[in-house]
Amino acid sequence: PITLAMFGDLLPAELKTASEREVETGKFSVKPGSVLFDSYLWTHNAAGQRCDAMDEVDNCDLVLVMGTSLSGLSIDNVAHKAGYLNKPRLVFDMTRAPIESLERNGKWSAERDCHLQGNLDESVLNILLATQWLTLVFDYLPHLCLGSLKTLRQFVQDNVRGEPIGEYLAKIDGAIQQEVEREKHFYGEE
């Protein structure tokens, strides 16, 4: 995972207790489910419960593959196993690299699997719009980075019509301002 302790001296004093709590509980708050480049898969989920990703593939309905070339890392086996179990995979990537890997190693099926080639934020926003779930993204505004918030703002301007657009843009603008202030804490006035 990416942990508070990794920030070292950059971590503000008010977060030192949270950093210690992460170590004590084994529950992480920055990116709890992240697997860093070619690290072992987690044996516990973000809630601290025992979890084996390879076993979870047996019980899943869909595997999401986001931003990886599937070039031989331990996490790649989840996507490959899903193909052999005929589980659908939704691949988000700017390139065809993960598809080429799945064609070689993971039983890619154009009838079952889907490749959304392009910007991840825009792909997800298009899915949310098409399923009429776009409003759900507003619950997560405090968790989005500045780049994603700006992409969301442009997407709403380009794709939302009618009365709610003003309300949506106001919420996004508020979140953008909060994220700018939060980033100043880390990066100063760059």
Side-chain angles (χ1 to χ4, degrees), residues 145-147 178-189:
C145 70
L146 187 56
Q178 286 178 333
E179 182 62 9
V180 166
E181 292 302 314
R182 189 191 72 79
E183 286 189 1
K184 283 180 186 176
H185 182 73
F186 289 104
Y187 308 120
E189 296 288 337

Side-chain angles (χ1 to χ4, degrees), residues 135-153:
T135 57
L136 298 177
V137 80
F138 293 101
D139 294 337
Y140 298 94
L141 292 180
H143 306 287
L144 298 180
C145 70
L146 187 56
S148 293
L149 288 166
K150 289 179 177 179
T151 299
L152 173 61
R153 188 180 200 295

Side-chain angles (χ1 to χ4, degrees), residues 34-48:
S34 296
V35 177
L36 300 179
F37 188 77
D38 209 18
S39 296
Y40 292 106
L41 298 178
W42 281 89
T43 57
H44 292 80
N45 62 22

Side-chain angles (χ1 to χ4, degrees), residues 1-50:
I2 298 174
T3 67
L4 290 172
M6 290 177 169
F7 291 94
D9 293 339
L10 295 175
L11 191 67
E14 61 266 20
L15 294 179
K16 296 286 186 197
T17 303
S19 177
E20 292 166 1
R21 191 171 39 251
E22 281 187 344
V23 173
E24 291 169 10
T25 64
K27 295 179 183 176
F28 304 101
S29 56
V30 180
K31 289 190 82 174
S34 296
V35 177
L36 300 179
F37 188 77
D38 209 18
S39 296
Y40 292 106
L41 298 178
W42 281 89
T43 57
H44 292 80
N45 62 22
Q49 302 160 325
R50 183 125 179 84

Side-chain angles (χ1 to χ4, degrees), residues 9 23 42 50 57 59 73 83 95 100 110 116 128 133 142 170 182 186:
D9 293 339
V23 173
W42 281 89
R50 183 125 179 84
V57 176
N59 301 315
L73 306 178
T95 71
E100 292 164 0
L116 294 172
L128 292 175
W133 294 346
R182 189 191 72 79
F186 289 104

